[in-house]
Amino acid sequence: MLESPKWKSRVKSEMCAENGVFMKKMKCRAMIAGLAVVLLAGVTARTAAGFSAPRTLNWTLDTSRTPELKQWAETKLKAAVNQWYPVWVDCLASNGFAAPTHFTITIKPMEGVAATSGTDVEVSESWIKGQIAQPGNWNEAVGSVIHELVHVVQQYGNDKPHTAATPIWLMEGIADYFRWFHYEPVAHRPKMTAQDGATAHYTDSYQTTAGFLEYVCKNHNHEFVIRMNAALREHRYSPNLWINYTGMSVENLWKAYVASLPQR
């Protein structure tokens, strides 16, 4: 991490001004550390015991159009939502923002995988069926919904006029960052190689952007995603924020990331 005296001063002042938010960030780290157990003998972060939601949730699970998936949704999906939505709320806390306490998840026939509009999450029936039919003890059924829960918390509101629009690639990259690097088992995380990086770009979104964000957080500013999230929510995104938060432009950060990737 690049830590100039000016940068340290700004961080200290932000922590003092937003003490409640800072404590939520610390709580987020503690919860993730407790949930992200060592992946041994099939035990994953999703099966961690003893986590209790820090707030009351009132959400709706609608399987009325896919009754054959009701048992899966009630036994597999519901527990993950109750466990992880509060974690994302604390991880993505920002000053003056209150995350939704009610949302709806509907599993239905639709194209694609899943989509979120405001607090309404829609998930493809055929996608879920295809995933739970996969052999082995891991699939992407629950993880795809975990990604959508991050969108429920983000609430960036790109429909507001006269504000800096949030880059879609960054919004999706942040959602995949939390999904793949804090929820999914380590063995299934996206693994780019130098050859992949030669043709990829940080704006490719989803897993590509998620891996890039993980690199930036680990090597330049562990608070980067948290601070960028706050900026996006306040409609003040600018490429200069990458420089403000890390001391490097997004282009130079990407070059450094690609250079760090292993060969095949």
Side-chain angles (χ1 to χ4, degrees):
M1 183 193 305
L2 299 176
E3 295 188 352
S4 67
K6 182 179 180 181
W7 187 87
K8 288 183 177 179
S9 174
R10 182 170 69 250
V11 171
K12 182 177 181 181
S13 118
E14 287 177 0
M15 287 179 177
C16 292
E18 304 178 7
N19 186 57
V21 173
F22 175 67
M23 291 306 294
K24 285 187 176 181
K25 293 172 185 174
M26 298 301 291
K27 186 178 182 181
C28 161
R29 292 198 199 99
M31 285 190 289
I32 284 178
L35 289 166
V37 295
V38 177
L39 306 180
L40 292 174
V43 178
T44 74
R46 295 171 293 173
T47 61
F51 176 82
S52 59
R55 57 183 55 74
T56 301
L57 290 179
N58 178 26
W59 64 282
T60 302
L61 177 59
D62 181 0
T63 57
S64 60
R65 279 171 279 186
T66 55
E68 67 276 20
L69 288 174
K70 182 176 181 179
Q71 182 178 2
W72 172 84
E74 292 287 342
T75 59
K76 301 293 186 182
L77 181 60
K78 182 175 284 189
V81 172
N82 286 334
Q83 184 178 70
W84 285 91
Y85 183 78
V87 176
W88 301 157
V89 169
D90 283 324
C91 287
L92 293 170
S94 63
N95 195 36
F97 173 76
T101 56
H102 182 269
F103 52 90
T104 300
I105 298 176
T106 303
I107 304 175
K108 67 175 192 176
M110 60 178 283
E111 295 183 358
V113 175
T116 298
S117 176
T119 56
D120 294 320
V121 177
E122 296 181 341
V123 186
S124 166
E125 167 198 28
S126 60
W127 163 259
I128 296 299
K129 288 180 177 178
Q131 287 299 307
I132 61 180
Q134 294 293 317
N137 59 5
W138 178 84
N139 61 67
E140 296 192 49
V142 175
S144 60
V145 181
I146 293 296
H147 171 104
E148 299 303 322
L149 292 181
V150 178
H151 288 324
V152 174
V153 179
Q154 284 173 320
Q155 295 294 314
Y156 293 157
N158 276 356
D159 57 339
K160 295 186 178 181
H162 311 302
T163 59
T166 297
I168 299 301
W169 60 267
L170 187 52
M171 179 181 73
E172 295 293 352
I174 289 174
D176 251 15
Y177 163 76
F178 280 106
R179 175 199 169 175
W180 288 104
F181 292 94
H182 293 293
Y183 168 74
E184 298 286 9
V186 173
H188 295 284
R189 289 178 182 175
K191 297 176 177 66
M192 283 186 65
T193 65
Q195 288 75 14
D196 297 326
T199 57
H201 194 263
Y202 61 85
T203 60
D204 286 349
S205 193
Y206 295 100
Q207 293 185 31
T208 299
T209 304
F212 176 46
L213 293 173
E214 169 73 354
Y215 167 82
V216 173
C217 287
K218 278 191 170 183
N219 295 277
H220 296 276
N221 183 350
H222 66 280
E223 294 278 347
F224 178 81
V225 169
I226 295 172
R227 296 180 185 281
M228 184 62 78
N229 166 74
L232 295 173
R233 189 175 281 147
E234 295 164 8
H235 312 290
R236 52 183 178 85
Y237 175 78
S238 164
N240 288 334
L241 290 179
W242 296 80
I243 300 173
N244 293 346
Y245 298 154
T246 70
M248 296 174 64
S249 69
V250 63
E251 290 81 9
N252 286 337
L253 285 166
W254 175 256
K255 290 177 182 177
Y257 170 57
V258 171
S260 75
L261 296 173
Q263 299 295 321
R264 293 191 189 278

